[in-house]
Amino acid sequence: MKYEPKKELVYIRNGEPLEEELRTRGFNQNEQAQLNDAIEKFIRTIKMSPEQKQAYEYMEEAYLKYICAYGEIAFSLGYSDGVEAGMEKKADGKSTILSVKDMAYLVAAYDAIKELHYKDKGILGALQCILDVIDNGMSTRRKLLEEEKTEMTGRILNDDSRTPVERATTLLK
C-alpha cells in the first residue's frame, strides 16, 4: 500500500528544506557551480543558430522539469516507505506486526505443507496462502533492501539447515 503525501508537503519539502540540506552536505554549492560552469562552457564553445539555441533551451527546460518530477516522486516514495516502516513498528521501534513466535508458527506450517505438497498436489493453494501471509508479515526494511521478495522469501524458507525460529527471525529483522 502506498501512502502518498499531499502535494503541498512535497512542494514545501522540495523547496527550501531540500536546498538547506543540500547546502549542509556541501552538495548544492559544489555540484550546482560545476553544472553552471559546464553549461556556460558548452554555450561558449558551440556556435548555435537562433533555431539551435531555441532547441537547446527547450531541451534544457524539459530536462529540468523531468529532474523536478523525479525528485518529487523520489520524495513521495521515501515518504511512503517511511510511513509503512513506521506503521509496522511499535513504540519501542523494535517489534514488527508479527512476533517471532507467530512467524515461526507460519514457517513451521509452511514446512509441513511443503512436505505434504510432494504427496498431494492439491495442497499447493494452502502453501501459497501461507507464503502470502509470510511475505506480508516480513519487515518493510527487508523488502526494500533485498532482491525480488518471492525469491528471497523462498530462499529463507527453504533453508532446512535452520530452525523455524531462526528463519522467522531472519524474515522479521
Side-chain angles (χ1 to χ4, degrees):
M1 176 178 215
K2 293 289 179 214
Y3 300 90
E4 296 210 19
K6 291 184 178 186
K7 290 184 189 249
E8 297 83 19
L9 176 63
V10 174
Y11 178 76
I12 290 168
R13 294 299 293 166
N14 278 293
E16 189 55 36
L18 177 60
E19 291 294 325
E20 181 59 34
E21 185 64 24
L22 290 169
R23 281 192 293 275
T24 300
R25 294 181 183 199
F27 178 83
N28 192 28
Q29 296 162 346
N30 300 336
E31 278 68 15
Q32 200 170 44
Q34 188 178 4
L35 175 61
N36 288 335
D37 288 346
I39 290 171
E40 287 177 25
K41 183 178 180 183
F42 176 80
I43 290 172
R44 280 194 313 267
T45 58
I46 302 294
K47 301 266 189 255
M48 289 191 265
S49 68
E51 294 82 18
Q52 289 171 321
K53 186 173 183 180
Q54 185 178 11
Y56 173 80
E57 289 171 355
Y58 175 77
M59 183 269 314
E60 184 180 32
E61 184 177 330
Y63 179 72
L64 291 173
K65 284 181 182 177
Y66 172 80
I67 293 299
C68 288
Y70 186 94
E72 288 176 6
I73 297 299
F75 175 85
S76 294
L77 284 173
Y79 177 89
S80 177
D81 294 343
V83 169
E84 190 173 337
M87 288 179 68
E88 78 178 15
K89 304 289 182 187
K90 291 184 181 173
D92 64 5
K94 296 179 183 173
S95 302
T96 64
I97 294 171
L98 295 175
S99 69
V100 173
K101 186 177 181 181
D102 291 339
M103 184 62 90
Y105 287 152
L106 287 170
V107 171
Y110 174 87
D111 288 345
I113 293 172
K114 185 173 69 173
E115 288 298 316
L116 288 174
H117 168 64
Y118 293 113
K119 297 174 185 153
D120 177 8
K121 300 293 183 193
I123 298 293
L124 190 57
L127 188 62
Q128 187 59 52
C129 290
I130 297 273
L131 185 59
D132 289 346
V133 173
I134 290 170
D135 274 340
N136 289 335
M138 286 180 1
S139 75
T140 299
R141 183 171 184 267
R142 178 166 288 287
K143 288 178 196 176
L144 293 173
L145 297 178
E146 298 288 336
E147 69 270 14
E148 184 69 30
K149 78 175 185 177
T150 52
E151 185 179 309
M152 174 202 39
T153 305
R155 190 181 71 248
I156 294 167
L157 285 173
N158 293 319
D159 184 357
D160 295 330
S161 68
R162 300 170 69 205
T163 68
V165 172
E166 290 170 331
R167 291 179 279 163
T169 301
T170 300
L171 290 165
L172 290 171
K173 68 176 174 183

